[in-house]
Amino acid sequence: RCSVLVLAQILTLLSGSVNDLGVDTKGGGKSSAAADKVVEEIRVKGGKAVANYDSVEDGEKLIQSALDAFGRIGEILRDRSFARTSDLDWDLIHRIHLRGSFLVTRAAWNHMKDQKFGRIIMTASAAGIYGNFGQANYSAAKLGLLGLANTLAIEGRKYNIHCNTIAPVAGSRLTETVMPPDLVASLKPEYVAPMVLWLCHEQCQENGGLFEVGAGWIGKLRWERSQGHTVREKNQPMTPEAVRDQWDKVCDFTDATKPSTVQALLSSPQTEAVGQKLPPTTFSFNHTQCILYALGVGMSTKDPDHLRFLYEGHPDFGCLPTFGVIPSQAAMMDGGLSSIPGLNIDFTQVLHGEQYLELYKPLPTSGELTSEATIADVLDKGSGAVILLDVNTYSGSELVCYNQFSVFVVGAGGFGGRRTSEKAKAPLPPPKRAPDAVVIDSTTRDQAALYRLSGDWNPLHIDPSFAAMGGFKAPILHGLCSFGFAARHVLTQFADNDPSRFKAIKVRFVKPVMPGQSLQTEMWKEGNRIHIQCKVKETDAIVLAGAYVDLHSTSEDSPENLTQGGGLQSELVFAEIGRRIKDSGSELVKKVNAVFGWEITKDSKNAAQWTIDLKNGSGSLHTGPYSGKADVTFTVSDEDFMEVVQGKVNPQKAFFSGKLKVRGNIMLSQKLEVILKDYAKL
């Protein structure tokens, strides 16, 4: 509750409701005289006013009296040394000063929002800003008002509601008990009221400010922060001795910054951080790390196709493409962001929002890689800030891969920055049709414990107590682990597990996965781009969204080149079939009404699987193992398939000669001519 005399000066010009219980300085007693006196002063000077005698704890009544009269909206002390402060002394001061201000403001808030205008002035105190002997209860309540005001300034901004805080020094019934009479007389409330009046005016755009005011003098306060110093060393525990040894640097205010809000991520304009380079990091590895990563993202010796990523002696031993995030994540995990001038990050509030990885060549299975990271952009998302971190990883002078980490810092928005960036790799929604392939894969209870051995040591994924502090019932799976699961599902379904086919992957992390849950990856093939969406099967919650994998093309070359390069000519035919099904699928379903499976071999080995579904919906083409059951399945070599398609060999002759094998409903093979002749022209 502001000083009544201060309100009298304001209401002389604005008119309004005057609230005063008329209690003594300790909160005892009750009288209408104080409020009535102010109302009379306002009326004498030509203003309009109505008295209100409710407690500020009855905020709704106080605000309603103002609305009834005008149609819109326009203290006590209990000083004790801390040791002698009773529960009543503490609670009463907080009820009147802090809770009372909250209740009155809350009662007015929606009315201000509706009228798209509001000006709120919180009355703090020098005791709250600096502290004062014997006023622990009063100081805490008054500084609490400043925190309340700062938040209201942020929340009210878009409704044209501004909130500022004053710490006035003026003569009143409160100050006359702690100041000499001559000093009280010199600190007239009339020297405070004009400042408050200006802050209430519609022309005043000040918001979130803190002002000391008294005796005609006005000063604005702001916070100052030292540049600080990182005392934690790489791969070393943080110790009290490290804090002690760097204390002078922690407290050095040379080149101090002046953050404008608690939420501000940047101590200076965000452009100061954009373009800054992080210290380069080096990653040395051999086949052990490649195998450990493959196990961490769910590969198993139960599947023979996985051996090429799990056994260094395999003739096609290689590194999973998504291992490319591991060498580059050191820029994040080792606190490199904290070394950038202009960035002041609370790492307990950091979330991994999105990830993009692009390979320029297959990853080696051993060697030394160097990563160079740059702050690409800093975006203001309101409730938080997004840091785009670009990381280029080199083997010697050769660029191997590029990562973009999109990091969301909770509560760090509101600094006036841009919301979007042309530098960001954007997520993309999947097609609006049933997926072309679905893979369900179980994680184990120890999946996070295993994956973290690849270098992500965040205790959120292993320590139950740490996870509880983050609001989780148990440690959660790494987002990049789910990322690895989804990527290898695409490789299996659409690239024959060939890592050289992988080009890039983009995902947005939506919700966490608990170790032991099953991941369901849904995939849509659109040319060389495979759109993906990953869910937790048990809950149907989406965990990876807007995601896609880009594969290197194999269909742009001629059949001859494909054959020479080890590819399949039949891929061209099935690609054409897929395009024609998109155009005339419904018509084909009516004509054919069957599901055809194709097993294409090369050098007597299974090289590819295709399913032409002309039985369900508007038809579709699937690559890889089919989750349903085909009505008829054909097995044929890539070369003989092309002979049949091009009309060089009669299908019946191919069947009787053993070149074309059929199982299932053989009679449906008669409908092949409709598909191959009309819809697979090269």
Side-chain angles (χ1 to χ4, degrees), residues 322-615:
T322 47
F323 182 75
V325 301
I326 301 300
S328 62
Q329 70 182 0
M332 297 290 300
M333 302 306 299
D334 294 344
L337 285 175
S338 62
S339 67
I340 296 298
L343 287 181
N344 293 282
I345 300 174
D346 179 357
F347 282 92
T348 65
Q349 299 298 307
V350 170
L351 301 174
H352 196 169
E354 299 178 10
Q355 183 73 27
Y356 177 80
L357 164 67
E358 183 171 354
L359 297 189
Y360 300 107
K361 60 175 298 183
L363 294 170
T365 56
S366 64
E368 186 173 274
L369 301 176
T370 301
S371 295
E372 298 177 357
T374 304
I375 304 294
D377 217 336
V378 181
L379 307 178
D380 186 350
K381 296 294 187 178
S383 61
V386 170
I387 301 173
L388 296 179
L389 184 68
D390 285 349
V391 185
N392 288 311
T393 299
Y394 299 85
S395 176
S397 60
E398 185 177 17
L399 181 61
V400 174
C401 65
Y402 158 75
N403 278 271
Q404 184 177 83
F405 293 83
S406 179
V407 180
F408 187 82
V409 185
V410 179
F415 55 86
R418 292 176 292 105
R419 293 187 63 85
T420 60
S421 172
E422 67 282 356
K423 299 176 184 177
K425 300 292 184 180
L428 298 173
K432 294 182 178 180
R433 68 172 193 271
D436 298 324
V438 177
V439 172
I440 298 173
D441 210 347
S442 297
T443 67
T444 70
R445 285 290 302 274
D446 296 321
Q447 201 74 58
L450 181 58
Y451 180 84
R452 70 189 297 267
L453 300 181
S454 288
D456 189 338
W457 305 104
N458 189 336
L460 175 66
H461 306 292
I462 191 70
D463 187 342
S465 60
F466 197 91
M469 289 192 297
F472 300 103
K473 294 181 179 180
I476 62 175
L477 193 64
H478 306 68
L480 285 177
C481 182
S482 303
F483 169 93
F485 266 79
R488 66 177 182 77
H489 291 162
V490 172
L491 276 183
T492 299
Q493 293 294 306
F494 297 99
D496 198 28
N497 252 351
D498 182 358
S500 68
R501 292 281 312 280
F502 180 94
K503 180 181 179 183
I505 180 173
K506 169 70 181 184
V507 306
R508 179 167 63 88
F509 302 107
V510 181
K511 289 187 177 180
V513 177
M514 307 306 294
Q517 291 181 324
S518 299
L519 289 170
Q520 177 174 309
T521 304
E522 301 169 348
M523 293 164 274
W524 294 260
K525 189 176 189 301
E526 295 280 314
N528 294 317
R529 174 162 289 172
I530 314 300
H531 294 270
I532 55 178
Q533 177 174 271
C534 207
K535 297 179 178 178
V536 171
K537 183 179 183 297
E538 291 81 0
T539 64
D540 205 39
I542 296 175
V543 295
L544 300 180
Y548 61 84
V549 172
D550 286 338
L551 300 174
H552 288 296
S553 174
T554 60
S555 61
E556 295 177 356
D557 302 312
S558 66
E560 291 78 13
N561 290 336
L562 283 169
T563 301
Q564 293 170 4
L568 300 175
Q569 299 179 46
S570 56
E571 288 185 356
L572 288 170
V573 179
F574 286 108
E576 179 62 18
I577 291 174
R579 284 191 285 270
R580 299 299 178 87
I581 288 176
K582 287 182 182 178
D583 297 333
S584 308
S586 298
E587 180 183 344
L588 279 173
V589 168
K590 293 179 182 179
K591 288 183 179 181
V592 179
N593 191 32
V595 178
F596 297 91
W598 289 89
E599 295 175 348
I600 306 298
T601 65
K602 187 174 182 180
D603 299 327
S604 301
K605 295 180 181 179
N606 189 9
Q609 291 178 267
W610 298 88
T611 303
I612 303 172
D613 186 348
L614 296 176
K615 192 174 186 178

Side-chain angles (χ1 to χ4, degrees), residues 596 634 652 665-675:
F596 297 91
F634 304 91
Q652 289 184 345
N665 188 347
I666 298 179
M667 297 302 295
L668 288 174
S669 62
Q670 298 176 7
K671 297 186 177 182
L672 277 180
E673 185 177 359
V674 176
I675 303 170

Side-chain angles (χ1 to χ4, degrees), residues 188-211:
K188 296 180 179 181
E190 289 88 340
Y191 297 147
V192 174
M195 167 65 175
V196 180
L197 180 59
W198 166 241
L199 291 176
C200 289
H201 199 278
E202 61 183 10
Q203 292 181 3
C204 181
Q205 295 303 304
E206 185 69 38
N207 191 27
L210 170 62
F211 301 89

